[in-house]
Amino acid sequence: MFGLVKGLGLTLKNMVKPRVTYKYPHEPLEMPNRFRGIQYFIPELCIVCNQCVRICPTDCITLTGKKSDDPNVKGKVIDTYEINFEICILCDLCTEVCPTEAVVMTNHYELATYSRDDLYKDMEWLSQNNTLVRKENTLHPLPKKTGAKKA
């Protein structure tokens, strides 16, 4: 009998406390400034140095480059850049070693999907992922969003 009264007392005490849950899909969580989310990629800044590929502990980044057709351009031009978020641990190492800051972390974290194939993101998708970019990590101003039509 004493256990029942003790349990009801604990229940009544916690009923008057403020809620600690969130209405997540309707009210997005505000993440801290140093939160490591999905990467944002700026292909114009990439010099195909492969440092991000070499430092990645899970080998989830694929980067290929080709020689430029323009004789005035030295070095390689980026051909493909892909990240497999099925195995990416969002460790932030790829952004730290990038000398031109072509790869920047964001606070965007929603990657839920019904298919594992959708977790394989290419250069086009990563360059359009420019929401919630951590501004303290970027040396260069972020490009303006394109394709947005005025109403």
Side-chain angles (χ1 to χ4, degrees), residues 36-37 39 50-59 61 81 88-99 103-105 134 137:
R36 296 184 302 226
Q39 290 90 341
N50 280 323
Q51 289 187 23
C52 56
V53 176
R54 285 193 297 266
I55 200 163
C56 183
T58 60
D59 293 329
I61 301 174
Y81 185 84
C88 180
I89 58 174
L90 302 173
C91 63
D92 199 22
L93 291 175
C94 56
T95 62
E96 290 180 12
V97 298
C98 186
V103 183
V104 181
M105 296 301 270
R134 292 190 340 199
N137 288 352

Side-chain angles (χ1 to χ4, degrees), residues 9-137:
L10 184 65
T11 302
L12 292 174
K13 183 173 81 172
N14 285 318
M15 281 180 59
V16 296
K17 287 185 177 179
R19 293 183 184 157
V20 294
T21 58
Y22 299 96
K23 297 180 180 179
Y24 166 64
H26 307 294
E27 297 175 11
L29 298 175
E30 191 145 337
M31 302 314 263
N33 290 336
R34 299 288 296 165
F35 177 76
R36 296 184 302 226
I38 305 165
Q39 290 90 341
Y40 167 59
F41 181 66
I42 308 168
E44 296 84 24
L45 297 178
C46 184
I47 58 174
V48 194
C49 64
N50 280 323
Q51 289 187 23
C52 56
V53 176
R54 285 193 297 266
I55 200 163
C56 183
T58 60
D59 293 329
C60 64
I61 301 174
T62 305
L63 172 64
T64 60
K66 59 183 177 182
K67 191 171 182 179
S68 175
D69 296 333
D70 187 9
N72 297 331
V73 177
K74 293 183 178 180
K76 292 182 178 179
V77 177
I78 187 163
D79 190 27
T80 61
Y81 185 84
E82 299 165 341
I83 298 179
N84 183 0
F85 283 106
E86 184 178 358
I87 57 175
C88 180
I89 58 174
L90 302 173
C91 63
D92 199 22
L93 291 175
C94 56
T95 62
E96 290 180 12
V97 298
C98 186
T100 61
E101 291 204 1
V103 183
V104 181
M105 296 301 270
T106 67
N107 286 345
H108 184 72
Y109 56 88
E110 295 174 340
L111 269 177
T113 182
Y114 290 106
S115 172
R116 288 183 177 187
D117 295 335
D118 294 338
L119 295 174
Y120 200 73
K121 303 297 183 184
D122 61 351
M123 179 171 51
E124 182 181 336
W125 188 92
L126 290 167
S127 64
Q128 292 173 357
N129 181 34
N130 57 359
T131 57
L132 302 172
V133 175
R134 292 190 340 199
K135 291 173 180 54
E136 68 268 5
N137 288 352

